[in-house]
Amino acid sequence: MAKIKHNNFLDTVDRVITEAKEAGIVHLRAEDSKFTGRHLKVNGVVCRHFGNTGYLGLEQDNRIKMAAMQAISRYGTQFPLSKTYISHPLYEELEEKLELLFKNPVIVTKNSTLGHMAVIPTVVRDEDAVILDHQVHWSVQNAAQLLKVRGIPVQLVRHNNLEMLETLIQKLSSKVSKIWYMADGVYSMFGDYAPVKELIELSKKYPQLHLYFDDVHGMSWRGENGMGYVMSQFDTLPEHVLVFGTLSKTFGASGSVLVCSNNKLYHKIKNFGGPLTFSAQLEPSAVGAAIASAKIHLSGEIYSLQEALKYRINYFNHRLAKTKLPLIAQNSSPVFYIGTGLPATGYFLVQQLMQKGFYVNLGLFPAVPVKNTGIRITISKNNDLEDIDALADLLVTHFGVALGATHNSLTRIGKAFRINFKDTRPFATNKQKVVLQEFESIEDVAYHYWFKTLDSINMLDYKGMLFLEESFKRLKDPKHQWRFKYVVITDDFDHPVLVTFLTESLWKNDMLAPASVSKELEKQREADPDLQTSRVLSLGCLFTEGNHLYLNEAHPQVELALTQLLEYIENLAHQWKVSMTVLRDFELNYNWSKSIQSQGYIPIDMPESCVLQNLQDKVEQEYSQYLSKRSQKHFKKDIEPFMHLVKSNVVKRVSSKNIKTYYDLYLQVKDRNYGLNTFTYPLEAFEAMRTHPNWEFILLKAVDDNRLLGVMFCYKNYSGTYVPSLIGMDYRYLADFQTYRQLLYQTIIRARKLNMKQVDFGMSANFEKRKLGAAVIPKQAFVQTDDNFLLEHIEMMRASN
């Protein structure tokens, strides 16, 4: 089969960030003539600053600023040489003070991103493996990607999931030398901590385990001498633990620092660590500022600064405890995350706060799962108590308004974060004048609802839905059974405003990944068939294509109906405990894209769909005459010369023996097609086809000896759509008879004879279908997951292939 177009994770991120930029949430500019740390001017409004990660306010300390200026005056703006050759005169003093601070050897790097790129490829050997907490900072993940070209396994585990980590350690232990687990000390979004002490105990159980922490958000405000959260968890830094701290953020200067107690490893990194060797060193101003900050850290003053921040953190915690605001991680860090769940609620609340003079950050995809959007508030020593009081009061006032304006609730937010937030109010849409009805079977749906809405699309007529239920509801293997839900939303006059159906089934996580990723996973599935599979709630089902959602666009309550459907789907996903929800088969620039995204979904590209349209107008002459000149050349070269070698006939109600033969040909195709990697359909589905009145089979045979070359499994929707759903081919004869192209052509001829309006060719092999006159239609889906683990894991595999 020909290749298909796959989604690119970065394209999805680009769409989400672009929307946030248009909403005035990100890519803003500070307009201040000078900074005090307490305020920030944005869009002409002077805001109290609750987005600062300089938690101790040292970036505004006059001693540090003066030290930076003096260093520039004495040494200039930069010292443009690699530190491997010669260090700046101030470096020795800085390193001495940092070693006193951390009580261990240190290596200063330009910043944490370059630092990780220097250290990780140096300390991780070819015989090692790496496990990443999937919420570890991007700079660590990016540096770890460099290892894949050396064949080093790099895998993800769910956030702070020690059970999953231990299982993976056990799998890797016999195959590799060292296993490096990489995590943040304090996570920048929710403000939660790495379970450092538990990880140390795990490393005692598995001596291969080495730990690598990025503790840039734990620095200065925690630990002896401000050495950070991770270092505060040790009496002595073990040799199998590496810790990255920062000289920026809370430290108030610039640069980053690696702490390493293993002398052999320390010298190896210092001698050759990529950017350490080939990049310029810190500017004199940064080194001078870092020295001044280190002096403060080594004095008793650091503890008074820590206490001042701690008081503010406790004060804000105390204020929040008196509210019903959904604080996601309750701890002692200066990072607070108020969950909004829906992006729409987050956008609304941030906009309201900024208009009232309070700057906060919005946590949004990909930093957090899209339905875990929330307000990220950072407390610093620059925030006065009256600022904190005012923010708490404003949050209480506007949070409820944001929920109502965006049809959200505390209950809904709690489900998104798996926390029980009690809400006395029902969902915002429950009291509205539209009625949602749900059904278990198409037989329970009033025929007039279905006939007026979805009956004419693809296989979605009544008989087609009955076939799907018969084929997939009661399979012998319960794991592969499908669950169905039909949803009809009507107005007061019983007119349908919205009609759709959903299925819950087992999917391969790599279904839309490049073929190279699926090939690799299929090798691994030989030993573990359930590897990288998930229960998915989907609009429509894997057997059907086209628009699975009917919306009466002209109806005044259409937006209300869509919002209620999305809330229903969200509840159903929780009830059925699925890992992912997929709303699929929408055309690009779909009218309701923003509404769907605002309810916690991210857009992803789907493989393009191919439809041969207006077939009823192409009946008076040879079909090739309707093709473009270029396609006519293809027809004369690749199809016409082989037509005399083959013959076709259409059969219906075939025997069990014959359907098994056709099924074996289908398996030949399925086993070679990784471009759209689904589970193999069971023989039971084909058994249901063979006696179904709407299914027929186009057989392609050799003229000379009647050999069966291939079969097209076709569904007749008598409203005018012909659907060649599946194909089977004997690959021994593929090249000699051009079987695939001949079957495509015979499908068109058959659809013309049946007076069909169009042929839905589906996905894959777009190039071949386009040459026969099919229109290629870009498609997109909207995806919602409990976390980003599934998306990031597949993206990581894509990057390594």
Side-chain angles (χ1 to χ4, degrees):
M1 288 292 204
K3 291 183 179 180
I4 61 176
K5 177 184 176 183
H6 295 281
N7 178 64
N8 187 310
F9 184 77
L10 292 179
D11 293 338
T12 299
V13 174
D14 178 61
R15 293 182 201 174
V16 174
I17 299 301
T18 297
E19 182 175 322
K21 181 179 178 181
E22 292 171 352
I25 303 299
V26 299
H27 291 189
L28 303 172
R29 294 186 180 183
E31 300 163 355
D32 308 73
S33 57
K34 68 175 184 177
F35 290 137
T36 64
R38 184 182 178 189
H39 296 99
L40 200 63
K41 188 175 182 181
V42 185
N43 294 331
V45 179
V46 176
C47 297
R48 293 182 235 199
H49 190 0
F50 285 92
N52 190 357
T53 57
Y55 305 118
L56 296 182
L58 288 174
E59 75 278 6
Q60 294 298 330
D61 189 287
N62 282 329
R63 291 165 292 181
I64 295 176
K65 289 193 277 188
M66 287 300 297
M69 289 187 282
Q70 288 171 3
I72 289 177
S73 178
R74 291 170 60 193
Y75 297 110
T77 59
Q78 60 173 301
F79 189 59
L81 275 171
S82 167
K83 195 167 174 286
T84 298
Y85 291 112
I86 187 169
S87 295
H88 188 276
L90 292 176
Y91 253 96
E92 183 176 7
E93 183 181 358
L94 174 61
E95 289 173 342
E96 287 176 352
K97 285 184 166 42
L98 290 176
E99 288 184 357
L100 286 173
L101 193 162
F102 288 104
K103 300 180 180 179
N104 280 285
V106 300
I107 295 173
V108 176
T109 69
K110 185 93 169 179
N111 53 50
S112 58
T113 298
L114 287 175
H116 294 313
M117 292 177 67
V119 174
I120 290 175
T122 303
V123 301
V124 180
R125 309 281 293 179
D126 289 352
E127 61 270 19
D128 296 346
V130 171
I131 302 174
L132 302 171
D133 183 292
H134 93 268
Q135 287 189 21
V136 70
H137 195 266
W138 173 88
S139 58
V140 177
Q141 295 196 38
N142 184 60
Q145 295 295 331
L146 301 175
L147 304 174
K148 291 185 175 182
V149 298
R150 291 160 49 191
I152 297 171
V154 179
Q155 300 194 41
L156 291 177
V157 293
R158 295 187 184 280
H159 179 49
N160 282 349
N161 191 322
L162 295 181
E163 182 179 350
M164 186 176 182
L165 173 60
E166 185 169 10
T167 299
L168 197 49
I169 291 170
Q170 291 169 347
K171 288 182 179 180
L172 289 169
S173 60
S174 63
K175 303 174 183 177
V176 300
S177 178
K178 295 175 183 175
I179 300 171
W180 290 88
Y181 175 64
M182 300 182 178
D184 286 0
V186 178
Y187 287 89
S188 60
M189 281 290 117
F190 295 170
D192 55 328
Y193 303 128
V196 178
K197 291 182 178 179
E198 291 88 342
L199 288 165
I200 289 295
E201 290 303 312
L202 196 62
S203 69
K204 291 177 182 177
K205 184 176 180 181
Y206 301 97
Q208 288 172 286
L209 180 62
H210 288 57
L211 304 175
Y212 185 103
F213 292 106
D214 181 338
D215 198 31
V216 297
H217 282 276
M219 274 287 294
S220 301
W221 64 269
R222 186 72 181 263
E224 183 182 353
N225 296 332
M227 63 174 60
Y229 170 74
V230 172
M231 294 291 292
S232 74
Q233 303 301 295
F234 305 118
D235 294 326
T236 303
L237 181 65
E239 288 196 351
H240 68 288
V241 179
L242 296 180
V243 180
F244 249 98
T246 184
L247 304 180
S248 57
K249 290 187 169 65
T250 316
F251 204 83
S254 183
S256 194
V257 58
L258 172 72
V259 187
C260 175
S261 63
N262 185 316
N263 282 326
K264 183 178 180 182
L265 207 53
Y266 168 80
H267 288 294
K268 184 176 292 185
I269 296 167
K270 196 164 187 178
N271 283 340
F272 186 77
L276 289 175
T277 302
F278 298 110
S279 295
Q281 52 198 283
L282 280 173
E283 294 79 7
S285 58
V287 182
I291 291 171
S293 180
K295 290 177 181 177
I296 295 172
H297 280 69
L298 289 167
S299 72
E301 185 180 349
I302 190 65
Y303 302 112
S304 62
L305 292 171
Q306 289 178 345
E307 284 299 316
L309 177 64
K310 182 179 178 181
Y311 185 82
R312 287 162 171 76
I313 292 170
N314 290 340
Y315 187 79
F316 193 40
N317 269 319
H318 176 71
R319 285 300 315 268
L320 292 177
K322 295 182 177 180
T323 74
K324 291 187 177 180
L325 292 168
L327 180 63
I328 301 307
Q330 300 186 13
N331 53 46
S332 58
S333 86
V335 180
F336 294 77
Y337 198 83
I338 309 295
T340 64
L342 303 181
T345 309
Y347 288 168
F348 185 96
L349 189 55
V350 168
Q351 290 165 345
Q352 291 296 304
L353 292 174
M354 287 178 63
Q355 289 173 14
K356 297 294 182 181
F358 287 81
Y359 177 78
V360 296
N361 298 139
L362 182 67
L364 74 168
F365 181 86
V368 295
V370 67
K371 69 175 183 179
N372 284 171
T373 299
I375 306 300
R376 177 179 178 263
I377 298 166
T378 54
I379 299 295
S380 76
K381 184 178 168 292
N382 293 322
N383 300 127
D384 288 352
L385 296 186
E386 64 180 87
D387 295 339
I388 295 173
D389 278 328
L391 175 61
D393 292 340
L394 204 63
L395 282 168
V396 170
T397 300
H398 286 277
F399 196 83
V401 175
L403 292 181
T406 56
H407 308 294
N408 202 353
S409 70
L410 281 176
T411 302
R412 196 172 178 187
I413 294 170
K415 288 180 179 179
F417 287 93
R418 297 182 179 179
I419 303 173
N420 185 22
F421 295 124
K422 294 182 179 179
D423 193 346
T424 56
R425 301 185 305 107
F427 280 178
T429 57
N430 281 1
K431 296 181 180 179
Q432 304 295 331
K433 293 183 179 179
V434 291
V435 178
L436 186 149
Q437 303 171 69
E438 61 173 339
F439 307 97
E440 303 289 334
S441 171
I442 189 66
E443 293 180 295
D444 301 325
V445 181
Y447 182 75
H448 69 278
Y449 289 147
W450 201 261
F451 177 75
K452 292 179 180 179
T453 57
L454 293 174
D455 192 79
S456 64
I457 300 171
N458 198 272
M459 282 179 52
L460 303 187
D461 58 1
Y462 238 63
K463 290 181 179 178
M465 296 309 304
L466 285 172
F467 160 77
L468 290 171
E469 290 184 28
E470 178 185 351
S471 300
F472 294 98
K473 260 189 174 181
R474 290 173 287 275
L475 294 174
K476 292 177 183 177
D477 185 352
K479 181 174 67 176
H480 290 290
Q481 289 178 356
W482 294 2
R483 286 191 278 190
F484 288 76
K485 282 286 186 181
Y486 297 83
V487 179
V488 177
I489 298 180
T490 57
D491 62 13
D492 292 342
F493 300 98
D494 199 37
H495 295 147
V497 184
L498 179 153
V499 179
T500 191
F501 84 100
L502 302 114
T503 54
E504 185 272 340
S505 59
L506 188 68
W507 285 27
K508 295 180 179 179
N509 296 343
D510 54 305
M511 185 180 78
L512 298 180
S516 57
V517 172
S518 294
K519 282 183 180 179
E520 177 59 33
L521 280 173
E522 289 304 329
K523 291 178 185 176
Q524 299 176 36
R525 288 188 181 118
E526 291 175 6
D528 182 4
D530 294 330
L531 179 70
Q532 283 294 318
T533 61
S534 303
R535 304 302 305 189
V536 175
L537 178 61
S538 170
L539 204 66
C541 72
L542 289 176
F543 214 99
T544 58
E545 292 180 37
N547 183 10
H548 297 97
L549 174 64
Y550 166 78
L551 284 175
N552 183 347
E553 299 279 355
H555 201 286
Q557 291 171 307
V558 62
E559 186 170 5
L560 182 63
L562 178 60
T563 301
Q564 187 161 354
L565 171 71
L566 295 176
E567 291 179 2
Y568 168 83
I569 291 174
E570 191 175 291
N571 283 331
L572 188 61
H574 284 288
Q575 178 186 332
W576 283 351
K577 297 179 180 179
V578 301
S579 300
M580 183 183 298
T581 301
V582 179
L583 313 181
R584 51 178 288 249
D585 284 15
F586 294 94
E587 294 190 14
L588 299 185
N589 302 315
Y590 180 60
N591 286 347
W592 301 98
S593 291
K594 286 192 175 181
S595 297
I596 294 172
Q597 289 175 239
S598 72
Q599 296 295 304
Y601 291 84
I602 57 170
I604 67 168
D605 292 331
M606 287 187 65
E608 297 161 326
S609 182
C610 292
V611 180
L612 184 59
Q613 300 166 322
N614 303 318
L615 197 60
Q616 71 275 17
D617 298 330
K618 301 173 181 176
V619 295
E620 296 179 356
Q621 51 188 315
E622 286 300 316
Y623 180 77
S624 62
Q625 299 303 309
Y626 296 105
L627 302 176
S628 67
K629 289 185 178 179
R630 186 173 181 179
S631 293
Q632 284 181 18
K633 290 180 181 179
H634 156 74
F635 188 89
K636 291 181 189 246
K637 177 185 175 184
D638 298 326
I639 296 178
E640 202 171 70
F642 298 88
M643 289 171 60
H644 72 283
L645 300 175
V646 299
K647 59 183 177 181
S648 69
N649 65 299
V650 177
V651 296
K652 307 171 188 177
R653 295 187 176 273
V654 301
S655 66
S656 290
K657 179 181 178 181
N658 284 342
I659 203 68
K660 178 63 170 63
T661 300
Y662 305 161
Y663 183 68
D664 289 341
L665 294 180
Y666 155 74
L667 292 178
Q668 286 195 44
V669 176
K670 181 67 182 69
D671 291 344
R672 289 168 171 80
N673 186 13
Y674 295 104
L676 191 64
N677 200 30
T678 60
F679 281 103
T680 302
Y681 293 126
L683 182 58
E684 293 107 299
F686 292 80
E687 281 286 341
M689 283 181 200
R690 73 181 183 84
T691 57
H692 194 284
N694 288 55
W695 280 98
E696 63 181 27
F697 311 90
I698 301 175
L699 306 183
L700 192 73
K701 296 183 178 181
V703 170
D704 58 353
D705 57 7
N706 216 36
R707 277 173 293 168
L708 181 60
L709 307 173
V711 56
M712 191 74 85
F713 302 83
C714 301
Y715 186 85
K716 298 172 290 187
N717 184 319
Y718 285 110
S719 62
T721 301
Y722 196 61
V723 189
S725 290
L726 299 168
I727 190 170
M729 295 185 292
D730 191 323
Y731 274 75
R732 292 175 297 175
Y733 314 126
L734 186 62
D736 292 340
F737 294 92
Q738 292 295 302
T739 309
Y740 183 65
R741 290 166 175 160
Q742 293 298 322
L743 278 170
L744 288 179
Y745 179 61
Q746 291 302 324
T747 300
I748 295 170
I749 300 303
R750 175 60 180 168
R752 292 174 77 189
K753 288 180 180 177
L754 292 172
N755 296 318
M756 293 289 177
K757 298 175 185 176
Q758 65 181 41
V759 178
D760 278 6
F761 275 122
M763 303 171 188
S764 82
N766 295 350
F767 182 66
E768 296 293 341
K769 295 167 183 175
R770 188 170 54 208
K771 288 191 290 190
L772 281 168
V776 176
I777 304 171
K779 295 281 186 173
Q780 67 176 338
F782 299 95
V783 174
Q784 187 178 88
T785 59
D786 287 338
D787 56 37
N788 288 347
F789 179 78
L790 297 179
L791 299 173
E792 291 173 355
H793 192 278
I794 294 300
E795 184 62 21
M796 182 172 286
M797 290 193 68
R798 177 206 297 270
S800 64
N801 278 271

